[in-house]
Amino acid sequence: MSKLALYVPLEAKPGKEMEVAEFLRSALPLVQAEAGTVSWYAIQEGPSSFAIFDTFNDEAGRAAHLNGKVAAALMARAADLFAKSPAIHKIDILTDKLPKSGG
């Protein structure tokens, strides 16, 4: 079970909603290359509200993600895309329910 996570709420600047959605979609290949990132979700919570939620088995995986290409790209585009600077919340996972692997 993954024990650690990140939650990053994002508020698009007016008129930048489609750019934010595309930016998040374009980040998937970068995240797929991260061995320590167990799961990664880019979500839209409302017309201009988005978020990233990702999980990790250990602090090393979470640290690698925070120092990786997605985080760098997010911060590089923050002033252009977001109404305020992204807040990165480090959270602990208490329990989960996941699909069973295997057949």
Side-chain angles (χ1 to χ4, degrees):
M1 177 183 114
S2 294
K3 298 185 183 299
L4 303 172
L6 293 171
Y7 176 69
V8 185
L10 304 165
E11 188 66 30
K13 283 185 173 178
K16 297 285 186 170
E17 298 84 359
M18 292 183 71
E19 283 185 63
V20 170
E22 185 51 40
F23 170 79
L24 292 172
R25 286 185 191 100
S26 73
L28 182 59
L30 299 175
V31 177
Q32 287 173 326
E34 296 177 352
T37 302
V38 176
S39 64
W40 184 84
Y41 301 89
I43 60 174
Q44 186 166 3
E45 299 176 307
S48 62
S49 299
F50 299 83
I52 298 170
F53 178 78
D54 31 21
T55 66
F56 312 89
N57 288 335
D58 54 35
E59 188 58 47
R62 184 161 68 179
H65 179 72
L66 286 171
N67 292 308
K69 293 180 180 180
V70 174
L74 183 72
M75 292 309 175
R77 302 279 319 269
D80 177 47
L81 295 177
F82 306 117
K84 59 184 177 180
S85 184
I88 300 172
H89 301 276
K90 292 182 176 182
I91 57 180
D92 296 328
I93 298 173
L94 300 177
T95 190
D96 64 19
K97 179 194 178 286
L98 299 171
K100 294 182 179 173
S101 61

